[in-house]
Amino acid sequence: MLTCRRLAGLTGALLLSASLVACTTAPEDDDGPPAAVVEPAEEPSDDGEVADPVEDAEPVGGAPSPDACDDIRMVEDRQYAGAALSGCISALLVAWGTGREYMDDGDFVATVEFVYTEDVRSFDVEMDGDVSGRLRVIGTDSWFDRGAGWEPDDTMGPLYAALSDPAALFEIMLPDSTWTVQPERELISLPNGDDVEAWAVTLDEGYALEEMEVEAWTLWFADDLTPVGNSGTSAMWGVSATTTQILYDLGDEDIVIEPPV
């Protein structure tokens, strides 16, 4: 049986994947991707010259660099619009193409493998909570295995699919919300055994979407903008829940998702 807490989370996921799409779509801009909202005052260097924080923080490594991330850099105190960050994250997930996710909201734990293309999101979920079993989603098709074999599922499947989709939470980022890069990095331990000193980018002020209140949210990025995960707290009908996602093994070519039946 679904708890009130889980129902609130699922309803938020449904809103996220359907009625909120129009609210979270960034406007078209012929000049390129959404840019930063505010740039902090530049501090003079020791020799009196003003440093350029964007150039000083050029991404490194072999991560993809989609156009939607051209104006995003992990620079202390720099602020960005939700539209710019969500556009960058979505483009990065498609550019990586595959990966894994660990998700925990206190009542529900899941391990996800995902495959993204420009047109289709697919993922395979091992879940443990008020509903346990295995979920597989390919585009708009979903199947559930609760222990007795795979069956098509067009009721709870799509709701849990929205909740388990690694990109789904980023789609409720209000376009004109502001987010700030924090000075202190956080050590994030990934399920594959790697550790990442991640930049924390926090929501400056909570906001409401339909019946859901987004209260607090932190995004984590590596130096090269690889999304490491996020942790956010939201409330619906007076019930508050915190969901944490950790992303890892991005670009793993061994991840393949096919219909189970």
Side-chain angles (χ1 to χ4, degrees):
M1 179 178 295
L2 293 177
T3 64
C4 181
R5 190 170 184 272
R6 167 58 42 229
L7 184 59
L10 287 174
T11 304
L14 181 60
L15 286 171
L16 169 161
S17 62
S19 62
L20 294 182
V21 171
C23 298
T24 58
T25 301
E28 294 293 332
D29 186 348
D30 293 338
D31 295 329
V37 177
V38 178
E39 293 189 6
E42 297 176 343
E43 296 293 335
S45 61
D46 293 339
D47 58 7
E49 296 182 357
V50 175
D52 183 347
V54 174
E55 294 301 324
D56 291 347
E58 193 70 24
V60 296
S65 298
D67 291 344
C69 299
D70 282 351
D71 292 334
I72 306 296
R73 297 290 183 271
M74 292 297 102
V75 178
E76 178 181 335
D77 293 332
R78 186 171 288 270
Q79 291 183 308
Y80 293 103
L85 285 175
S86 61
C88 174
I89 295 169
S90 296
L92 281 168
L93 290 174
V94 171
W96 280 111
T98 62
R100 294 182 174 89
E101 171 201 19
Y102 174 79
M103 187 181 70
D104 186 352
D105 76 350
D107 288 340
F108 173 81
V109 175
T111 301
V112 184
E113 291 189 343
F114 61 89
V115 175
Y116 283 0
T117 68
E118 290 287 352
D119 302 316
V120 178
R121 294 180 187 173
S122 303
F123 38 95
D124 187 279
V125 188
E126 291 275 2
M127 60 180 66
D128 186 15
D130 41 40
V131 174
S132 297
R134 190 169 178 183
L135 169 69
R136 187 166 297 177
V137 178
I138 300 177
T140 58
D141 298 322
S142 61
W143 301 263
F144 237 129
D145 181 357
R146 293 174 173 83
W150 290 104
E151 294 183 0
D153 191 317
D154 58 1
T155 54
M156 293 306 298
L159 288 172
Y160 275 94
L163 190 65
S164 303
D165 184 346
L169 283 179
F170 300 115
E171 294 174 356
I172 64 169
M173 294 173 69
L174 198 67
D176 60 358
S177 60
T178 58
W179 302 69
T180 301
V181 182
Q182 299 302 307
E184 298 295 331
R185 303 210 198 177
E186 299 182 21
L187 183 64
I188 307 297
S189 295
L190 306 182
N192 62 8
D194 294 340
D195 290 330
V196 179
E197 287 192 1
W199 293 91
V201 183
T202 59
L203 176 65
D204 292 344
E205 185 176 353
Y207 54 85
L209 288 173
E210 301 289 339
E211 298 295 325
M212 182 167 54
E213 294 283 341
V214 179
E215 299 174 344
W217 206 345
T218 298
L219 313 178
W220 294 301
F221 293 90
D223 284 331
D224 60 4
L225 292 184
T226 296
V228 177
N230 71 96
S231 184
T233 300
S234 60
M236 183 174 290
W237 308 322
V239 180
S240 181
T242 298
T243 299
T244 299
Q245 292 177 305
I246 301 297
L247 300 174
Y248 60 105
D249 292 346
L250 297 180
D252 189 332
E253 296 180 354
D254 291 335
I255 299 175
V256 177
I257 299 175
E258 297 178 340
V261 293

